Amino acid sequence: MNWRARLLALDGLMPGMDESGALAWTTLADAPEGCDLVFLGLDEGKACFAAVPEAGDIAPRLANPALWQAMASLRPDDLAIYGGARSLVDWHARHRFCAQCGGPTTLAKGGWQRDCGNCGAQHFPRTDPVTIMLVEHNDRLLLGRGKGWPEGRFSALAGFVEPGESLEEAVAREVLEESGVVVGEVRYIASQPWPFPSQLMIGCHATATSDAITMDETELAEIGWFSRSEVAAALVGEGPFTAPPAQAIAHHLLTWWIEK
Amino acid sequence: MNWRARLLALDGLMPGMDESGALAWTTLADAPEGCDLVFLGLDEGKACFAAVPEAGDIAPRLANPALWQAMASLRPDDLAIYGGARSLVDWHARHRFCAQCGGPTTLAKGGWQRDCGNCGAQHFPRTDPVTIMLVEHNDRLLLGRGKGWPEGRFSALAGFVEPGESLEEAVAREVLEESGVVVGEVRYIASQPWPFPSQLMIGCHATATSDAITMDETELAEIGWFSRSEVAAALVGEGPFTAPPAQAIAHHLLTWWIEK
């Protein structure tokens, strides 16, 4: 038996970083008295843990600017570890009670479950599938600016998959709701976890059968069709709009479209 | 204003059916006193609702045989309506309390949300992404029999996507955990909602780089490689194993593999 273990350094939900810009790790001795620990897995022969903070994310669907900056500087493998850990500890912090009976729950199975001592219900961390899609018509892409986004920032349309839908149905419904555009063939491109709080972004390409737009004004501030040259220019910072940042799957999808 | 509306006939979570074998509908007057109603959408100019039952599914991860039979006889469009409605009302029945503070929650936004009057948290129905994969090596498929499954019944390996994973990473991890087999390229094939309680099944094809098996004995009773002719025979009821039923995405994936 060996007790080699390490604890992910977190300040609330913010990642701690060492001088080299890598994720910082500390020892189990640094975990706050009585806090819950989530087992993240083994790395280099050491058991890796993260401590559940007192409070979860107060605005769980939004990243904050300081976090965005930290994420931009993390290496991809560190970003994956941080993202998975953040989703898990935030879920625990916001799920201390049983949704079925209201009783207190306790962490189980190393943090991959919570159990209710009152009614016996078991609860599992969430992963919420979101479709994000490049809608194409006559070699142009449909991109939108969400309400509250900075002026000039456009990205692919996106939305949560609803109960009872396939991915392809979710893409078609979301595009119709947000833009009034009807799509035909839908094709899967790539996926990426996005831990705010626990999305699985599923990137697709959809072929539109019409280009007339009726914008959903509750969700979007602007929407429009952009040509291949406009998208290519935006990706190098010289376009008629600001492209999504490199960490976002939307950036990867736009790059895929330009290169295909 | 018109008040044309209809209520999905449910006995607990079981679908009501008319003489023709279609989903049965009744009127809002038939909803139990004081029960919550979920808005399902508009159909033929009528607002469609389902009532939240007193209790949710007691074994939410398993279908029961009577339900399985009912589902096999429903038309695809009725099956989609029932599946979405079942996921939603079951979620409401099992989420009457706030996971953040333990206080009572109330149905909001027509049933697509629950709000906590105590701490203000908002809760949303779950959709849980599950990868299900055809693992191929030298023109053979890796299929397993789960613990507790009937003798002879084999299907594709499957598992929940965990926080922090892409779809492709989830496929590779799940196959490695259940079988010890390492996979290379992963390709998306098709998806299907599966309302027990709220899965989104994401069907993939994965190319194995080795064929040596180490079975996970906590999950599986049997596992093995099956040739194209064995899978083709099973799909017409004459193979060395019992194929998954036609409603399951696994059946669709096996058919896709034989036809490709």
Side-chain angles (χ1 to χ4, degrees):
Chain A
M1 193 78 87
N2 88 55
W3 291 88
R4 280 157 45 104
R6 57 189 202 177
L7 182 73
L8 184 64
L10 289 172
D11 177 9
L13 288 165
M14 287 289 288
M17 280 149 81
D18 65 19
E19 298 82 15
S20 74
L23 276 185
W25 294 87
T26 168
T27 71
L28 290 186
D30 291 326
E33 193 76 35
C35 81
D36 276 336
L37 291 180
V38 170
F39 176 57
L40 301 176
L42 294 170
D43 188 44
E44 296 173 353
K46 290 186 179 173
C48 299
F49 293 89
V52 177
E54 275 189 43
D57 199 332
I58 47 164
R61 299 208 183 273
L62 297 169
N64 66 53
L67 175 58
W68 195 269
Q69 201 165 22
M71 285 178 65
S73 70
L74 283 173
R75 290 198 318 261
D77 54 343
D78 269 357
L79 192 56
I81 291 169
Y82 169 69
R86 177 192 169 94
S87 283
L88 272 173
V89 300
D90 176 52
W91 179 80
H92 281 286
R94 292 187 297 113
H95 291 76
R96 298 187 198 272
F97 295 88
C98 177
Q100 182 159 281
C101 77
T105 56
T106 51
L107 184 146
K109 305 241 168 121
W112 295 78
Q113 186 172 318
R114 295 190 75 87
D115 292 343
C116 177
N118 183 40
C119 76
Q122 298 177 331
H123 301 279
F124 302 92
R126 290 179 73 120
T127 302
D128 301 310
V130 172
T131 52
I132 178 166
M133 41 272 171
L134 298 185
V135 179
E136 180 170 353
H137 188 269
N138 280 350
D139 213 33
R140 293 174 306 160
L141 283 189
L142 183 64
L143 302 175
R145 182 164 77 85
K147 277 200 161 176
W149 292 14
E151 200 67 34
R153 161 73 57 96
F154 281 74
S155 188
L157 302 184
F160 287 93
V161 179
E162 293 181 352
E165 288 181 330
S166 68
L167 284 179
E168 292 76 10
E169 290 166 342
V171 167
R173 175 195 47 76
E174 194 69 32
V175 173
L176 185 65
E177 282 179 7
E178 294 198 14
S179 70
V181 170
V182 175
V183 302
E185 196 199 357
V186 173
R187 186 175 151 201
Y188 169 81
I189 307 297
S191 66
Q192 183 190 68
W194 191 247
F196 307 104
S198 51
Q199 278 92 307
L200 172 64
M201 306 299 295
I202 302 174
C204 296
H205 176 276
T207 305
T209 58
S210 65
D211 66 354
I213 292 173
T214 308
M215 185 177 82
D216 175 0
E217 300 189 354
T218 61
E219 298 251 344
L220 295 175
E222 287 181 85
I223 190 169
W225 295 98
F226 293 89
S227 70
R228 191 169 289 271
S229 60
E230 289 174 319
V231 172
L235 283 170
V236 293
E238 296 167 3
F241 66 93
T242 309
Q247 313 94 292
I249 191 173
H251 188 99
H252 174 74
L253 293 174
L254 291 176
T255 304
W256 168 87
W257 187 68
I258 289 298
E259 291 175 354
K260 93 177 159 105
Chain B
M1 191 78 88
N2 87 56
W3 291 88
R4 283 159 40 105
R6 56 190 203 178
L7 182 73
L8 183 64
L10 288 173
D11 177 9
L13 288 165
M14 287 290 289
M17 280 148 82
D18 65 21
E19 299 82 15
S20 74
L23 276 186
W25 294 87
T26 169
T27 70
L28 289 187
D30 291 327
E33 193 75 36
C35 81
D36 276 335
L37 291 180
V38 171
F39 176 58
L40 302 175
L42 294 170
D43 188 43
E44 296 173 353
K46 291 187 180 173
C48 300
F49 293 89
V52 177
E54 276 189 41
D57 199 332
I58 49 167
R61 298 209 183 272
L62 297 169
N64 67 53
L67 175 58
W68 195 268
Q69 201 164 22
M71 285 178 64
S73 71
L74 284 173
R75 291 198 318 262
D77 53 343
D78 269 358
L79 192 55
I81 291 168
Y82 169 69
R86 177 193 169 93
S87 282
L88 272 174
V89 298
D90 176 52
W91 179 79
H92 281 286
R94 293 188 294 111
H95 291 77
R96 297 188 197 272
F97 295 88
C98 176
Q100 184 160 279
C101 78
T105 56
T106 51
L107 184 145
K109 305 237 169 126
W112 295 78
Q113 186 172 319
R114 293 190 76 87
D115 292 343
C116 178
N118 183 40
C119 77
Q122 297 177 331
H123 301 279
F124 302 92
R126 290 178 72 118
T127 302
D128 300 310
V130 172
T131 51
I132 178 165
M133 42 270 172
L134 298 183
V135 180
E136 180 170 353
H137 188 268
N138 280 350
D139 213 32
R140 292 174 307 160
L141 283 191
L142 182 64
L143 302 175
R145 182 164 77 85
K147 277 200 160 175
W149 292 14
E151 199 67 35
R153 161 73 57 96
F154 280 73
S155 188
L157 303 183
F160 288 92
V161 179
E162 293 180 353
E165 287 180 333
S166 68
L167 284 179
E168 293 75 10
E169 289 165 342
V171 167
R173 175 196 46 77
E174 194 69 34
V175 173
L176 185 66
E177 281 179 7
E178 293 198 14
S179 70
V181 170
V182 175
V183 301
E185 197 200 356
V186 173
R187 187 177 149 198
Y188 169 81
I189 307 297
S191 65
Q192 183 190 67
W194 192 246
F196 307 105
S198 52
Q199 278 91 307
L200 172 64
M201 306 299 295
I202 302 174
C204 297
H205 176 275
T207 304
T209 58
S210 65
D211 66 353
I213 291 172
T214 307
M215 184 177 83
D216 175 1
E217 300 189 354
T218 61
E219 297 252 344
L220 295 175
E222 287 181 84
I223 191 170
W225 294 97
F226 294 88
S227 70
R228 194 167 286 270
S229 59
E230 288 173 319
V231 172
L235 283 170
V236 293
E238 295 168 3
F241 67 92
T242 310
Q247 315 93 291
I249 192 173
H251 188 99
H252 174 75
L253 294 173
L254 291 176
T255 304
W256 168 87
W257 188 68
I258 290 299
E259 291 174 355
K260 94 179 157 103

